[in-house]
Amino acid sequence: ELLQLTVISDNQPARRLYASLGFEEYGIEPRAAKYRGRYHDDVLMAKMLVLDSGADTDAQGGGASP
């Protein structure tokens, strides 16, 4: 699964935080947000979520029998 977010390009602390949590920048949406009469670019970020395959097997009835 993919978790996506956007952050205002000028917000460097937020961009660093998201990057430290494993998000990667994959694009920019120019002039996507307007705040106090000024346009700002949005930075598009995403992180792949990896599920524990063993948990999926048990949930689907494929786990060990008691």
Side-chain angles (χ1 to χ4, degrees):
E1 299 206 20
L2 185 67
L3 184 59
Q4 297 175 296
L5 62 84
T6 61
V7 62
I8 300 294
S9 62
D10 295 342
N11 192 345
Q12 292 299 324
R15 290 172 70 177
R16 283 192 298 273
L17 172 66
Y18 294 135
S20 75
L21 296 172
F23 285 85
E24 296 182 15
E25 296 183 5
Y26 70 90
I28 295 179
E29 188 174 346
R31 298 173 52 93
K34 187 175 182 181
Y35 179 69
R36 294 187 178 176
R38 184 171 161 233
Y39 286 97
H40 300 271
D41 297 344
D42 273 354
V43 176
L44 310 174
M45 302 183 80
K47 178 179 180 176
M48 287 298 298
L49 300 179
V50 179
L51 301 176
D52 180 8
S53 61
D56 284 345
T57 302
D58 290 342
Q60 296 172 1
S65 299

